[in-house]
Amino acid sequence: MPAQSIALLFVAAAIALLWLAVRYLLPWLLDRDTAVPEGAVHSVDILERVAAEGSLRTDSWQLEPSHRAPSDPYTPEQAHIAMQQHRDCGTDLCAAKHSAFWTLVDAGHAVPDARVER
C-alpha cells in the first residue's frame, strides 16, 4: 500500500509540473520569436535578396566579362568553341552561351527543343 501511495504522489507531481509547463513555459516559448535582435535580418528578406541577385545575372553589363555576349555575332566555329568553354553555364544565365547556341541554331548545327523560345 505505501508503494502505491508513493507512485500516486509521483504521478500527481508529474501532472502538476506538466500543467505548469503548459501554462507558463509554452506561451513564453511561443512569444520568443516576436523579439528580434537589433539589426537582425529576417530569413524571408535574405531569400528575396538571393533571388533578386540571381535575376541580376541576366543583364549582360553585370556579368563577368567571359560570360557577356560578344559585340559582334559569333561565327559557327567560334560558337562551337564558346559552347565548349561555357558547358557548365545555362543559356538562361550566360549571355555568351545563349548567343553561341542561337548562332549554331541559325547555322543549322543545333536544333532547339520545340518548347524553347528565342
Side-chain angles (χ1 to χ4, degrees):
M1 189 82 165
Q4 290 177 346
S5 298
I6 293 174
L8 184 62
L9 185 62
F10 276 117
V11 168
I15 290 173
L17 285 174
L18 182 63
W19 180 82
L20 286 173
V22 169
R23 176 77 173 101
Y24 296 104
L25 186 61
L26 188 62
W28 179 76
L29 288 173
L30 293 176
D31 288 338
R32 282 180 34 179
D33 63 341
T34 59
V36 178
E38 177 116 6
V41 180
H42 196 273
S43 60
V44 173
D45 296 333
I46 294 171
L47 292 173
E48 288 173 354
R49 180 178 173 189
V50 168
E53 287 175 356
S55 67
L56 292 177
R57 289 195 59 200
T58 59
D59 296 333
S60 63
W61 62 272
Q62 294 174 332
L63 296 173
E64 295 176 26
S66 65
H67 295 282
R68 291 183 183 151
S71 54
D72 296 326
Y74 285 125
T75 64
E77 293 77 20
Q78 291 171 331
H80 279 289
I81 293 169
M83 289 292 284
Q84 291 169 357
Q85 290 172 341
H86 296 273
R87 67 181 173 272
D88 294 331
C89 301
T91 57
D92 56 337
L93 296 178
C94 179
K97 186 169 184 175
H98 179 84
S99 178
F101 176 74
W102 288 106
T103 298
L104 293 175
V105 169
D106 292 340
H109 295 265
V111 178
D113 186 55
R115 298 170 289 181
V116 175
E117 293 182 20
R118 197 169 204 157

